[in-house]
Amino acid sequence: MKDKIILRMITVLGLSGAAFLLRKGSIKDFFLIFLFKSVVSSLIDAPIARKKLVQYPYRYFKSSFNINIIFDFLIFPLLCVIYSKLTNKADTLKTVLTVFLLSVPMTIIEEILRRKTRLVKYSKKWSWFHTLAYLTVTFWSSRLFVAALRFLEQNRDSEEESSNDVKSDSLNGVDLKGIEETEAILRNINY
């Protein structure tokens, strides 16, 4: 019964967080990070769960998923959005260190859940350190993904801008008055 209540509380917290985060900032960035993180965490967590390194004995849709879908498709992606917002304009060192403000508490919470509930169970080959490393690396990968997208977008925009400048520069010094007069004459000719 306790597990069911905790899982529902986490679900409500996640849905509330999503509603709150959607109100602020770029929706495009939110969904890119959210979807990227959902895919990455499920691709990594699925084999871990299949090998029974980490198990989720009490979870939603037990017959369809080995993973905890609330964590992989809601909580973790939302925390990646928060991490991205926290480090959006930060330098590299701050970006690297800020991850621990999220991954360490998440690891502690998972360890408490592992000890006190049936929501998380580790095999002998898995420990809190593996969880911390997994969380940290995947946070960094999502941040790297966003940085790469922004870099590509800036390069594309600057290339478009420079090509527009070249087009406008190529018309400098051309007398358009004669062309306009010729067009007016051609319009008036009846064939």
Side-chain angles (χ1 to χ4, degrees), residues 1-157:
M1 185 66 162
K2 174 177 71 170
D3 298 339
K4 189 181 220 180
I5 293 169
I6 292 171
L7 188 59
R8 286 185 178 161
M9 286 173 40
I10 291 170
T11 304
V12 168
L13 182 68
L15 293 172
S16 302
F20 177 75
L21 286 174
L22 271 172
R23 292 180 22 192
K24 304 263 183 183
S26 168
I27 290 178
K28 177 182 77 171
D29 284 355
F30 175 90
F31 279 109
L32 279 172
I33 296 163
F34 192 90
L35 292 174
F36 174 79
K37 189 62 192 149
S38 296
V39 169
V40 168
S41 63
S42 63
L43 287 174
I44 293 172
D45 206 17
I48 290 171
R50 193 172 32 256
K51 291 178 182 178
K52 297 188 179 186
L53 296 172
V54 177
Q55 296 176 53
Y56 307 99
Y58 189 82
R59 63 189 182 275
Y60 295 127
F61 306 110
K62 269 186 175 185
S63 60
S64 301
F65 296 99
N66 289 337
I67 61 175
N68 184 333
I69 62 169
I70 294 302
F71 177 74
D72 285 339
F73 296 137
L74 183 63
I75 301 298
F76 204 8
L78 285 176
L79 289 170
C80 279
V81 170
I82 292 170
Y83 174 62
S84 182
K85 287 181 181 228
L86 288 173
T87 60
N88 186 26
K89 306 243 188 237
D91 61 13
T92 305
L93 182 62
K94 185 177 178 185
T95 301
V96 168
L97 295 177
T98 302
V99 74
F100 296 107
L101 292 175
L102 296 168
S103 62
V104 169
M106 286 175 66
T107 303
I108 292 169
I109 290 168
E110 183 170 288
E111 185 63 19
I112 291 168
L113 290 174
R114 184 188 69 80
R115 290 180 184 188
K116 305 279 185 188
T117 71
R118 293 179 304 134
L119 295 175
V120 181
K121 181 180 173 187
Y122 293 168
S123 77
K124 293 186 188 309
K125 296 179 182 179
W126 195 269
S127 71
W128 65 266
F129 180 77
H130 293 99
T131 297
L132 180 65
Y134 161 69
L135 294 173
T136 302
V137 168
T138 53
F139 270 123
W140 283 335
S141 71
S142 71
R143 185 65 180 89
L144 190 62
F145 173 73
V146 170
L149 284 178
R150 288 187 178 137
F151 176 77
L152 291 171
E153 188 174 41
Q154 277 181 335
N155 279 352
R156 186 195 67 197
D157 291 346

